[in-house]
Amino acid sequence: MTATVTPRRRKSGPGPAVMLLVGLFVLLMTIFIIGPLVWLGLHAFSESWSYPNLLPSSWTMRWWQVVLSDKSLGVAVQNSLFFAPMTVLLSSIICLPAAYAFARHEFWGRRTFLIGLFATNAFPKMGLFVTIASLFYALNLMNTITGVLIIHILGTVVFMTWIPAAAFAAVPRSLEEAARDAGASKLRVLTSVTLPMAFPGILVAMVMSFLASFDEAQGTYLVGAPVFMTMPTQMYSLVLNYPNQVAAVFSILLAIPSVALMTAAHKHIAGGHLAEGFQIK
Amino acid sequence: MTLFSTRDETEVSTTTEPALGGAPAGDGGNRAASGEGLTVRGLHKVLGGRTIIDNLDLQVNEGELVSLLGPSGCGKTTTLRMIAGFLDPDGGSIQVNGREVSHLGAEKRPSAMVFQNYALWPHMTVFKNVAFPLKLRKRPKKEIEERVDAVLELVNLLHHKQSRPARISGGEQQRVALARALVQEPQLLLLDEPLSNLDAKLRVKVREDIRGIQQRLGITTVIVTHDQEEAMSISDRIAVMNAGKIEQFSTPADLYARPRTEFVATFVGSLNRFEGSYRDGRISDGSDVVGVRPEDVKFSREPVPGSLPAVVERVVPRGHFQELFLRREDALLRSFASGESPAVGEAGHALITRAMTFRGDQRVDADQPVNGGQA
């Protein structure tokens, strides 16, 4: 290890003060990110764990049984696995064409619309949801699948538009022109050149939308509960009604799709072929 | 090679039409009436209130390679993009082999373009890049493979078939772009500054390659360039463009020897330029512009008829020749000289064998070499 460190220092690397700060930063990150996860992991398997003890006094799988055998939790998992993909799908259908338009066309009010998309994120969520709820009552959307989907899609509009718009804009026009020149129709240019090249960016947006939808609790609780309980909304009742350990188990379950998704998408996102293969002066 | 045989077939089918048969290329503009090649008439484009292309006419014969040469902003790329179909002209007609194409989109035109930045698709291999146009035409798989192989062999890139564009050099990317255009067997090949992203040495090699392939396939070609040397060395004819117009359209040798305007004279080749007038081998006061090619200035130690005494002010070695700066009583002349170079400060005689006179940008002298004696 030292052998690899020494030559790096010789190349007039960062001074000791900087190294110390970086080290401190990494340590803090570890404590704040890994720490809670460790706590969750331990809790999920502990019989009881109280303050002065460094580790739980005894271990058990009981909480997992409780969670996995609970009917309402199973339904919540099902609901989450329905709403999140549906949200991504519908949000893509709505937002990707908009993103393409923002990237490729100059139209009246373009900037205003683009900035306006942030409005959904600019106000306190709860206030927004309360107003939406009164609107939904009037439209008979309370406790409906449509209502919950609308809430979820609202939360994804910003990244489903902004990130793909940037990805579309990064596709050089000459690559699209070359495809037209080769004889491709406008649609074919889109499917053969523009979409594949913008794909990494679109994928990022889709993953973020999936996670946002998967984690959405406030609006879903307001609009969907008690008919449509998703995993995060079920969390609320769990935290309130069960011992800590059940919440820990549930958190871990809640994290599984996110981690799985990130791992699967990682390869495509890190591929970065957007910058390859064409020369720009 | 499949590439050639299929091309021959199309040639046969076109000649069975009532159009005139294919005479050998490069015999001037006398085949314009047959409508073969590219015919541009009255092309006009206004962008943002500025006239970019001003009523432009251009006739490129079948099998001919024509360069659009001019400084940046002269409208040469705009012209090419209108021919390719990426830009709608405000007026005028564009005909390829007698067929009007100006109303067609780029994907429907019989032309293929090589882009300045090559515009290869980075998510496809070299093979897939070149095969894409054929895939769009729904050719059978076997035919696609054969034709792509043939064209990759033509540009000498068969070994990079499965490489990604990012993994090959700039010169190779250039050739892939060329292959992708050639595989379409276009009736018209368009190249937009094809060499500007290559280093100097490669540029010479690739331009020879392009010329060689163009000659072998006999493909009608238009190249946009700002590099006069490049244009001179590969073109059958050059259209020198300035401010949206073609100033002169002629063979490289003719452009150089008989420029019709001052702009062409200065843009193509090197020129001694003086404000004044030219008479009896000397430059005197006047309101015209006199241009003298450096190779039309001869330095000698002994006086010759028509020469004036001159002193060598500077000698710039240029490899196989020298550039001499000669101070005469009427002007400071640059001269290209080969052989033994005179020393700086040496006195001798300088003779102008040929000069051009321009008035209001137009050439006004009778185009005759001045015979002030035998130099």
Coordinates of all heavy atoms in Angstrom, one line a residue, chain B residues 49-107:
Chain B
G49 N -32.4 38.3 -43.1 CA -32.4 39.6 -43.9 C -31.1 39.8 -44.7 O -31.0 40.8 -45.4
R50 N -30.2 38.8 -44.6 CA -28.9 39.0 -45.4 C -28.9 38.0 -46.5 O -29.3 36.8 -46.3 CB -27.7 38.7 -44.5 CG -26.6 39.7 -44.5 CD -25.4 39.3 -43.8 NE -24.6 38.4 -44.6 CZ -23.7 37.5 -44.1 NH1 -23.6 37.4 -42.8 NH2 -23.0 36.8 -44.9
T51 N -28.5 38.4 -47.7 CA -28.5 37.5 -48.8 C -27.2 36.7 -48.7 O -26.1 37.2 -48.8 CB -28.5 38.3 -50.1 OG1 -29.7 39.1 -50.2 CG2 -28.5 37.3 -51.3
I52 N -27.4 35.4 -48.5 CA -26.3 34.5 -48.3 C -25.8 33.9 -49.7 O -24.6 33.9 -50.0 CB -26.6 33.3 -47.4 CG1 -27.2 33.8 -46.1 CG2 -25.4 32.4 -47.2 CD1 -26.3 34.5 -45.2
I53 N -26.8 33.5 -50.5 CA -26.5 33.0 -51.8 C -27.3 33.9 -52.8 O -28.5 34.0 -52.6 CB -27.0 31.5 -52.0 CG1 -26.2 30.7 -50.9 CG2 -26.7 31.0 -53.4 CD1 -24.7 30.6 -51.1
D54 N -26.6 34.4 -53.8 CA -27.2 35.4 -54.6 C -27.3 34.9 -56.0 O -26.4 35.0 -56.8 CB -26.4 36.7 -54.5 CG -27.1 37.9 -55.2 OD1 -28.2 37.7 -55.7 OD2 -26.5 38.9 -55.3
N55 N -28.5 34.3 -56.4 CA -28.7 33.9 -57.8 C -27.6 33.1 -58.4 O -27.0 33.5 -59.4 CB -29.0 35.2 -58.6 CG -29.9 34.9 -59.7 OD1 -30.5 33.9 -59.8 ND2 -30.0 35.9 -60.6
L56 N -27.3 32.0 -57.8 CA -26.1 31.2 -58.1 C -26.4 30.2 -59.2 O -27.4 29.4 -59.1 CB -25.6 30.6 -56.9 CG -24.3 29.7 -57.0 CD1 -23.4 30.1 -55.8 CD2 -24.6 28.3 -56.9
D57 N -25.6 30.1 -60.2 CA -25.7 29.1 -61.2 C -24.4 28.2 -61.2 O -23.3 28.7 -61.0 CB -25.8 29.7 -62.6 CG -27.1 30.4 -62.8 OD1 -28.1 30.0 -62.3 OD2 -27.0 31.5 -63.5
L58 N -24.6 26.9 -61.3 CA -23.5 26.0 -61.3 C -23.8 24.7 -62.1 O -24.9 24.1 -62.0 CB -23.2 25.6 -59.8 CG -22.0 24.6 -59.6 CD1 -20.7 25.3 -59.8 CD2 -22.0 24.1 -58.2
Q59 N -22.9 24.4 -63.0 CA -23.1 23.2 -63.8 C -21.9 22.2 -63.5 O -20.8 22.6 -63.8 CB -23.2 23.5 -65.3 CG -23.1 22.3 -66.2 CD -24.3 21.3 -66.0 OE1 -25.4 21.7 -65.9 NE2 -23.9 20.0 -66.0
V60 N -22.2 21.1 -62.9 CA -21.1 20.1 -62.7 C -21.4 18.9 -63.6 O -22.5 18.3 -63.5 CB -21.1 19.6 -61.2 CG1 -20.0 18.6 -61.0 CG2 -20.9 20.8 -60.3
N61 N -20.5 18.6 -64.5 CA -20.7 17.5 -65.5 C -20.6 16.2 -64.8 O -20.0 16.0 -63.7 CB -19.7 17.6 -66.6 CG -19.9 18.9 -67.4 OD1 -21.0 19.4 -67.6 ND2 -18.8 19.5 -67.8
E62 N -21.2 15.2 -65.4 CA -21.1 13.8 -64.9 C -19.7 13.4 -64.8 O -18.9 13.5 -65.7 CB -21.9 12.9 -65.8 CG -22.3 11.6 -65.0 CD -22.9 10.6 -65.9 OE1 -23.0 10.8 -67.1 OE2 -23.3 9.6 -65.3
G63 N -19.4 12.8 -63.6 CA -18.0 12.3 -63.4 C -17.0 13.3 -63.1 O -15.8 13.0 -62.9
E64 N -17.4 14.6 -62.9 CA -16.5 15.7 -62.7 C -16.4 15.9 -61.2 O -17.3 15.7 -60.5 CB -17.0 16.9 -63.4 CG -16.0 18.0 -63.6 CD -16.6 19.2 -64.3 OE1 -17.8 19.4 -64.2 OE2 -15.8 20.0 -64.8
L65 N -15.2 16.4 -60.8 CA -15.0 16.8 -59.4 C -14.8 18.3 -59.4 O -13.9 18.8 -60.0 CB -13.7 16.1 -58.8 CG -13.6 16.3 -57.3 CD1 -12.7 15.1 -56.7 CD2 -13.0 17.6 -56.8
V66 N -15.8 19.0 -58.7 CA -15.7 20.4 -58.7 C -15.6 20.9 -57.2 O -16.2 20.3 -56.3 CB -17.0 21.0 -59.3 CG1 -17.2 22.4 -58.9 CG2 -17.0 20.9 -60.8
S67 N -14.7 21.8 -57.0 CA -14.6 22.4 -55.7 C -15.3 23.7 -55.6 O -15.2 24.5 -56.5 CB -13.1 22.6 -55.3 OG -12.4 21.4 -55.2
L68 N -16.0 23.9 -54.5 CA -16.4 25.3 -54.1 C -15.4 25.9 -53.2 O -15.3 25.4 -52.1 CB -17.8 25.2 -53.4 CG -19.0 24.6 -54.2 CD1 -20.2 24.6 -53.4 CD2 -19.2 25.3 -55.5
L69 N -14.7 26.9 -53.7 CA -13.6 27.4 -52.9 C -13.9 28.9 -52.5 O -14.4 29.6 -53.4 CB -12.3 27.4 -53.8 CG -11.0 28.0 -53.2 CD1 -10.5 27.3 -52.0 CD2 -10.0 28.1 -54.3
G70 N -13.6 29.2 -51.3 CA -13.8 30.6 -50.9 C -13.5 30.7 -49.4 O -13.4 29.8 -48.7
P71 N -13.5 32.0 -49.0 CA -13.2 32.3 -47.6 C -14.4 31.9 -46.7 O -15.5 31.7 -47.3 CB -13.0 33.8 -47.5 CG -13.7 34.3 -48.7 CD -13.7 33.2 -49.7
S72 N -14.3 31.8 -45.4 CA -15.4 31.4 -44.6 C -16.5 32.5 -44.7 O -16.1 33.7 -44.8 CB -15.0 31.2 -43.1 OG -14.2 32.3 -42.7
G73 N -17.7 32.1 -44.7 CA -18.8 33.1 -44.8 C -19.1 33.4 -46.3 O -20.0 34.3 -46.5
C74 N -18.5 32.8 -47.3 CA -18.8 33.1 -48.7 C -20.0 32.4 -49.2 O -20.5 32.7 -50.2 CB -17.6 32.8 -49.5 SG -17.3 31.1 -49.8
G75 N -20.5 31.5 -48.4 CA -21.8 30.8 -48.8 C -21.5 29.4 -49.4 O -22.5 28.8 -49.9
K76 N -20.3 28.9 -49.4 CA -20.0 27.6 -50.0 C -20.7 26.5 -49.3 O -21.3 25.6 -49.9 CB -18.5 27.4 -50.2 CG -17.7 27.5 -48.9 CD -16.2 27.6 -49.2 CE -15.4 27.4 -48.0 NZ -15.5 28.3 -46.9
T77 N -20.6 26.5 -48.0 CA -21.3 25.4 -47.2 C -22.8 25.5 -47.3 O -23.5 24.5 -47.4 CB -20.8 25.4 -45.7 OG1 -19.4 25.2 -45.7 CG2 -21.5 24.4 -44.9
T78 N -23.3 26.7 -47.3 CA -24.7 26.9 -47.5 C -25.2 26.3 -48.8 O -26.2 25.6 -48.8 CB -25.1 28.4 -47.4 OG1 -24.5 29.0 -46.2 CG2 -26.6 28.7 -47.3
T79 N -24.4 26.6 -49.8 CA -24.8 26.0 -51.1 C -24.8 24.5 -51.1 O -25.7 23.9 -51.6 CB -23.7 26.5 -52.2 OG1 -23.6 27.9 -52.1 CG2 -24.1 26.0 -53.6
L80 N -23.8 23.9 -50.5 CA -23.7 22.5 -50.4 C -24.9 21.9 -49.6 O -25.4 20.9 -50.0 CB -22.4 22.1 -49.8 CG -22.0 20.6 -50.0 CD1 -21.4 20.4 -51.4 CD2 -21.0 20.1 -48.9
R81 N -25.2 22.6 -48.5 CA -26.3 22.1 -47.7 C -27.6 22.2 -48.4 O -28.5 21.4 -48.2 CB -26.3 22.8 -46.4 CG -25.2 22.5 -45.4 CD -25.2 23.3 -44.2 NE -26.4 23.0 -43.4 CZ -26.5 22.0 -42.5 NH1 -25.5 21.1 -42.4 NH2 -27.6 21.8 -41.9
M82 N -27.8 23.2 -49.3 CA -29.0 23.3 -50.1 C -29.0 22.1 -51.1 O -30.1 21.6 -51.4 CB -29.1 24.6 -50.7 CG -29.5 25.7 -49.7 SD -30.1 27.2 -50.5 CE -28.5 28.0 -50.8
I83 N -27.9 21.8 -51.7 CA -27.8 20.8 -52.7 C -28.1 19.4 -52.0 O -28.8 18.6 -52.5 CB -26.4 20.7 -53.4 CG1 -26.2 22.0 -54.2 CG2 -26.3 19.5 -54.3 CD1 -24.8 22.1 -54.7
A84 N -27.6 19.3 -50.8 CA -27.8 18.0 -50.0 C -29.3 17.9 -49.5 O -29.7 16.8 -49.3 CB -26.9 17.9 -48.9
G85 N -29.9 19.0 -49.3 CA -31.3 19.0 -48.8 C -31.5 19.3 -47.4 O -32.5 19.0 -46.8
F86 N -30.5 19.9 -46.7 CA -30.6 20.2 -45.3 C -31.1 21.6 -45.1 O -31.3 22.1 -44.0 CB -29.2 20.1 -44.6 CG -28.7 18.7 -44.6 CD1 -27.5 18.4 -45.1 CD2 -29.6 17.6 -44.2 CE1 -27.0 17.1 -45.1 CE2 -29.1 16.3 -44.2 CZ -27.9 16.0 -44.7
L87 N -31.2 22.4 -46.2 CA -31.5 23.8 -46.1 C -32.4 24.1 -47.3 O -32.1 23.6 -48.4 CB -30.3 24.6 -46.2 CG -30.3 26.0 -45.5 CD1 -30.6 25.9 -44.0 CD2 -28.9 26.6 -45.7
D88 N -33.5 24.7 -47.1 CA -34.4 25.0 -48.2 C -34.0 26.3 -48.9 O -33.9 27.3 -48.2 CB -35.9 25.2 -47.7 CG -36.5 23.8 -47.3 OD1 -36.0 22.8 -48.0 OD2 -37.3 23.7 -46.4
P89 N -33.8 26.3 -50.2 CA -33.5 27.5 -50.9 C -34.7 28.4 -51.0 O -35.8 27.9 -51.0 CB -33.0 27.1 -52.3 CG -33.5 25.7 -52.4 CD -33.8 25.1 -51.1
D90 N -34.5 29.7 -51.0 CA -35.6 30.6 -51.2 C -36.0 30.7 -52.7 O -37.1 31.2 -53.0 CB -35.2 32.0 -50.7 CG -35.1 32.0 -49.2 OD1 -35.7 31.2 -48.6 OD2 -34.3 32.8 -48.7
G91 N -35.2 30.3 -53.5 CA -35.5 30.3 -55.0 C -34.5 29.5 -55.7 O -33.4 29.3 -55.3
G92 N -34.8 29.1 -57.0 CA -33.9 28.4 -57.8 C -34.2 27.0 -57.9 O -35.0 26.4 -57.2
S93 N -33.4 26.3 -58.8 CA -33.6 24.9 -59.1 C -32.3 24.1 -58.9 O -31.3 24.6 -59.2 CB -34.3 24.7 -60.4 OG -33.2 24.5 -61.4
I94 N -32.5 22.9 -58.4 CA -31.3 22.0 -58.3 C -31.7 20.7 -59.0 O -32.7 20.1 -58.7 CB -31.0 21.7 -56.8 CG1 -30.7 23.0 -56.1 CG2 -29.9 20.7 -56.7 CD1 -30.8 22.8 -54.6
Q95 N -30.9 20.3 -60.0 CA -31.2 19.1 -60.8 C -30.0 18.2 -60.7 O -28.9 18.6 -60.9 CB -31.5 19.5 -62.3 CG -32.8 20.2 -62.4 CD -33.1 20.5 -63.9 OE1 -32.4 20.0 -64.8 NE2 -34.2 21.2 -64.1
V96 N -30.3 16.9 -60.4 CA -29.3 15.9 -60.4 C -29.6 14.9 -61.6 O -30.7 14.3 -61.6 CB -29.2 15.2 -59.1 CG1 -28.2 14.0 -59.2 CG2 -28.9 16.1 -58.0
N97 N -28.7 14.8 -62.5 CA -29.0 14.0 -63.7 C -30.3 14.3 -64.3 O -31.1 13.3 -64.7 CB -28.8 12.5 -63.4 CG -27.4 12.1 -63.1 OD1 -26.5 12.9 -63.4 ND2 -27.2 10.9 -62.5
G98 N -30.6 15.5 -64.4 CA -31.8 15.9 -65.1 C -33.1 15.9 -64.3 O -34.2 16.3 -64.8
R99 N -33.0 15.5 -63.0 CA -34.2 15.4 -62.2 C -34.2 16.5 -61.2 O -33.2 16.7 -60.5 CB -34.2 14.0 -61.5 CG -35.6 13.7 -60.9 CD -35.7 12.2 -60.6 NE -34.8 11.8 -59.5 CZ -35.2 11.6 -58.2 NH1 -36.5 11.8 -57.9 NH2 -34.4 11.2 -57.3
E100 N -35.3 17.2 -61.1 CA -35.4 18.3 -60.1 C -35.5 17.7 -58.7 O -36.3 16.8 -58.5 CB -36.7 19.1 -60.4 CG -36.9 20.3 -59.5 CD -35.8 21.4 -59.6 OE1 -35.3 21.6 -60.7 OE2 -35.4 21.9 -58.5
V101 N -34.6 18.1 -57.8 CA -34.6 17.6 -56.5 C -34.9 18.6 -55.4 O -35.0 18.2 -54.2 CB -33.3 16.9 -56.1 CG1 -33.0 15.7 -57.1 CG2 -32.1 17.9 -56.2
S102 N -35.0 19.9 -55.7 CA -35.0 20.9 -54.7 C -36.3 20.8 -53.8 O -36.2 21.3 -52.7 CB -35.0 22.3 -55.3 OG -36.0 22.4 -56.3
H103 N -37.3 20.1 -54.2 CA -38.5 20.0 -53.4 C -38.4 18.7 -52.5 O -39.3 18.5 -51.6 CB -39.7 19.9 -54.3 CG -39.7 18.7 -55.2 ND1 -38.9 18.7 -56.3 CD2 -40.3 17.5 -55.2 CE1 -39.0 17.6 -57.0 NE2 -39.9 16.8 -56.3
L104 N -37.4 17.9 -52.7 CA -37.2 16.7 -51.9 C -36.5 16.9 -50.6 O -35.6 17.8 -50.5 CB -36.5 15.6 -52.8 CG -37.1 15.2 -54.1 CD1 -36.2 14.3 -54.8 CD2 -38.5 14.5 -53.8
G105 N -36.8 16.0 -49.6 CA -36.0 16.1 -48.4 C -34.7 15.4 -48.6 O -34.5 14.7 -49.6
A106 N -33.8 15.6 -47.7 CA -32.4 15.0 -47.8 C -32.5 13.5 -48.0 O -31.6 13.0 -48.8 CB -31.6 15.4 -46.6
E107 N -33.4 12.9 -47.4 CA -33.4 11.4 -47.4 C -33.9 10.9 -48.8 O -33.7 9.7 -49.1 CB -34.3 10.8 -46.3 CG -35.8 11.0 -46.4 CD -36.3 12.4 -45.9 OE1 -35.4 13.3 -45.7 OE2 -37.5 12.5 -45.6

